[in-house]
Amino acid sequence: MGILARAVERKSTGNVWERWIELMDMGGRSKAGPTVNRDTIWKVSAAMACMREISQGLAQVPFKLMQDYEDAGLPRKRVARDHKMYDLLTAKPNGWQTSFEFMETLGLHASLGNAYVFKNMYRGAVGELILLNPSQVKAEQKEDWSISYKVRGKSGGEVDIPAAQIWHVRGPSWDGFLGIDTLYVAKEALGLSLALEESAGALHANGVRPSGVYSVEGTLTPDQHSKLAAWLKREAGGAGNTGAPLVLDRAAKWLSTAMTSVDAQHKEMRDQQIEEVCRFFGVLPSIIGYTGDKANTYASAEVMENAHKVRTQGRWYKRVQDSANVNLLTDAERAKGYYWKFITNGLMAASAKDRGEYYGKALGSGGSPAFMTQDEIRALEDLDPMGGEASKLPPLQGKPAVSNPPN
């Protein structure tokens, strides 16, 4: 029986660790009112969109194990398909997830601060990778700087798992061993977003008609008051009466006592919260579909996409690559030149024009020396090699510029 299976079978002890887990699941109440936790965050569309951009940005790019080596005195690179870890992250990390699903979920967890992967060992090697629910994992750093992990099973049992069997992907960290909890630091921004969503819904449930005071001359008896309240509820409060005129008698007056949506500036506040949430996740607002009061042009959209690849995706690629190199490879394997890498050439797949220009320069168009062969380019397009001249670098086209021409 494995470590995780034994943890599930153990009974809950009702200790401080259990209360800590309960607090993590329940979240915290924001000053705006709504509670922010791992269930309510999905209701904040800006937060969900940011997490989706981070996680699917990681999942859409091939993550391959590479190796640097020498051949005939020249440095070479190859895809290490023969390594035992290669298939785990490129095809089947466990018995129920694809590589895309695994990396997407890992990105969702890491975007909130911490992602934990259990390395299930088989005959001294990693047999499968199992993502753990971050709310059921507690990382602690001991006096000797070593790190331990407590994992809680579905039935309430808990177990200590050696650090060697946990792949811990951290988000930005202050103490160096635990990623900052995004739900905690962004609690007020997320809570206000939830509150604005609820208030907008309540406003439209009343036909965007605020409540007010129905004022009449004289004093109403209890019976008259009861009948008038029932009449108002029937004639003016139902959804079917939205926008219908209210007919008053006995010199009655309707006095509005609540702010309209314009007074409350719902749109401006909700727009501001989109930007605020994006700041916490480090994602440009235009990437999740928010451009403010200006529509994106093709040129500006392209600039924003490139900025997103560098400022958001590129940083997450580096974070996960370095973490995988440390946690999924041994010192001896790294010494042999093995390393994990996101193959970002796939990001050009959406633009045939960009690929054509890049490949043209790679083959030496414009007089620059070629740095790729036709077969290498065909491999990037999943085409079979042609061999022969196609496997050789094209000759230099044109004459090189002379910096100091002779007299």
Side-chain angles (χ1 to χ4, degrees), residues 297-318:
T297 64
Y298 179 82
S300 63
E302 185 177 22
V303 170
M304 290 300 179
E305 284 289 341
N306 289 333
H308 175 67
K309 293 174 185 177
V310 174
R311 296 180 61 83
T312 302
Q313 287 178 287
R315 295 170 181 178
W316 276 101
Y317 294 154
K318 176 65 173 173

Side-chain angles (χ1 to χ4, degrees), residues 299-371:
S300 63
E302 185 177 22
V303 170
M304 290 300 179
E305 284 289 341
N306 289 333
H308 175 67
K309 293 174 185 177
V310 174
R311 296 180 61 83
T312 302
Q313 287 178 287
R315 295 170 181 178
W316 276 101
Y317 294 154
K318 176 65 173 173
R319 184 186 301 278
V320 175
Q321 284 173 183
D322 288 354
S323 181
N325 288 336
V326 171
N327 290 276
L328 301 182
L329 296 174
T330 64
D331 293 343
E333 288 171 333
R334 289 192 297 274
K336 291 180 180 179
Y338 288 102
Y339 62 96
W340 290 97
K341 182 175 179 60
F342 283 98
I343 310 302
T344 57
N345 287 337
L347 294 175
M348 293 193 302
S351 174
K353 177 177 178 293
D354 290 343
R355 294 205 313 277
E357 291 178 355
Y358 174 76
Y359 294 155
K361 292 180 179 178
L363 292 173
S365 67
S368 300
F371 59 86

Side-chain angles (χ1 to χ4, degrees), residues 133-151:
N133 188 334
S135 66
Q136 296 178 332
V137 181
K138 185 180 181 182
E140 294 181 324
Q141 191 168 45
K142 301 178 181 179
E143 292 294 333
D144 61 355
W145 307 105
S146 63
I147 299 176
S148 65
Y149 295 91
K150 289 182 180 292
V151 179

Side-chain angles (χ1 to χ4, degrees), residues 374-395:
Q374 293 182 51
D375 278 350
E376 288 172 332
I377 291 175
R378 290 177 64 85
L380 294 177
E381 294 291 312
D382 290 325
L383 298 173
D384 291 332
M386 296 186 297
E389 293 299 318
S391 63
K392 303 176 183 178
L393 284 175

Side-chain angles (χ1 to χ4, degrees), residues 24 38 109-116 139 149 168-185 316 319:
M24 291 291 290
R38 287 181 173 85
H109 292 177
S111 67
L112 291 181
N114 298 275
Y116 304 96
Y149 295 91
H168 184 180
V169 181
R170 303 170 182 86
S173 175
W174 175 253
D175 53 25
F177 86 96
L178 196 64
I180 297 172
D181 187 350
T182 306
L183 287 182
Y184 175 76
V185 297
W316 276 101
R319 184 186 301 278

